[in-house]
Amino acid sequence: MATMFAKLVSLAYSPRYLLTTNTATMCLIYGTGDVIVQLVDSHRQPPYTTNIDWKRVFRVGAIGMLHGPMNHFWYGFLDRAALRGSQRVIVAKKVASDLAASPAFAVAFVTGLTLLEGNSIREALLEYKQKFIQIFTLDACVWPPAQAINFWLVPPAFRVLFVSAVVLVYSGLFSAIRHDDHEPVLEVL
């Protein structure tokens, strides 16, 4: 049984199937993160029900169809980039590049969800603008340390898998920000 599992993992993370594996992993993790958020939210206020909005879970999970390939190709690009310096300097450059790219990933998440909910691109961009500070603060707290570990210790084929594990927590927090209907503390112009 263990040998069969090892063969399956080896095949799934081979160059031939890596994009598919990364995409499927992101879909599953995003959906799972949203289920966790809904369960936590349902137990914070009466009537303490555990009704899950499965359409919402599907929509959040479907964003993995976008983010899986984005992550796959982004990490491939960073690994092929001709970055110079010691390993520490290269990791620092990759972490900085990743943080600089985080708004593109966040706008894809918010826009994708807003469109899947039947709203317009204009509404999606307005929502992103309103929640930018919260989203970027979350990105700045989570991704630099996570990506330092990722770029320093994780083999390239497993980088999206590692990110997916971090995304389990991150997507829950991101989904909570995304589905928070309260006015943001700071208005972004």
Side-chain angles (χ1 to χ4, degrees), residues 29-186:
I29 294 294
Y30 274 175
T32 302
D34 189 59
V35 167
I36 292 168
V37 165
Q38 289 188 50
L39 288 171
V40 169
D41 283 348
S42 71
H43 288 89
R44 287 187 359 197
Q45 299 177 35
Y48 307 113
T49 61
T50 56
N51 294 332
I52 301 294
D53 179 350
W54 292 106
K55 288 181 181 179
R56 176 178 138 174
V57 171
F58 179 77
R59 288 190 302 266
V60 173
I63 298 304
M65 296 291 289
L66 179 61
H67 272 199
M70 285 176 71
N71 278 293
H72 175 86
F73 291 112
W74 174 243
Y75 296 127
F77 167 76
L78 286 178
D79 287 336
R80 288 187 309 277
L83 301 175
R84 300 183 195 283
S86 67
Q87 185 177 10
R88 287 182 183 168
V89 169
I90 291 170
V91 168
K93 288 178 181 178
K94 287 181 178 182
V95 169
S97 297
D98 194 69
L99 186 60
S102 69
F105 285 88
V107 79
F109 188 95
V110 171
T111 302
L113 274 179
T114 303
L115 293 173
L116 288 173
E117 291 168 347
N119 298 310
S120 70
I121 290 177
R122 184 173 189 269
E123 291 168 309
L125 295 176
L126 178 61
E127 180 178 350
Y128 180 74
K129 185 177 169 183
Q130 291 172 337
K131 295 183 178 179
F132 175 80
I133 297 295
Q134 291 174 291
I135 293 168
F136 193 73
T137 300
L138 176 62
D139 285 351
C141 291
V142 171
W143 292 116
Q147 293 296 41
I149 293 167
N150 195 18
F151 295 130
W152 190 268
L153 301 173
V154 179
F158 297 100
R159 290 210 170 121
V160 175
L161 176 62
F162 176 82
V163 165
S164 295
V166 175
V167 162
L168 180 59
V169 174
Y170 173 84
S171 67
L173 297 170
F174 197 103
S175 183
I177 290 170
R178 169 57 179 73
H179 292 99
D180 181 14
D181 294 332
H182 297 91
E183 289 295 316
V185 174
L186 297 174

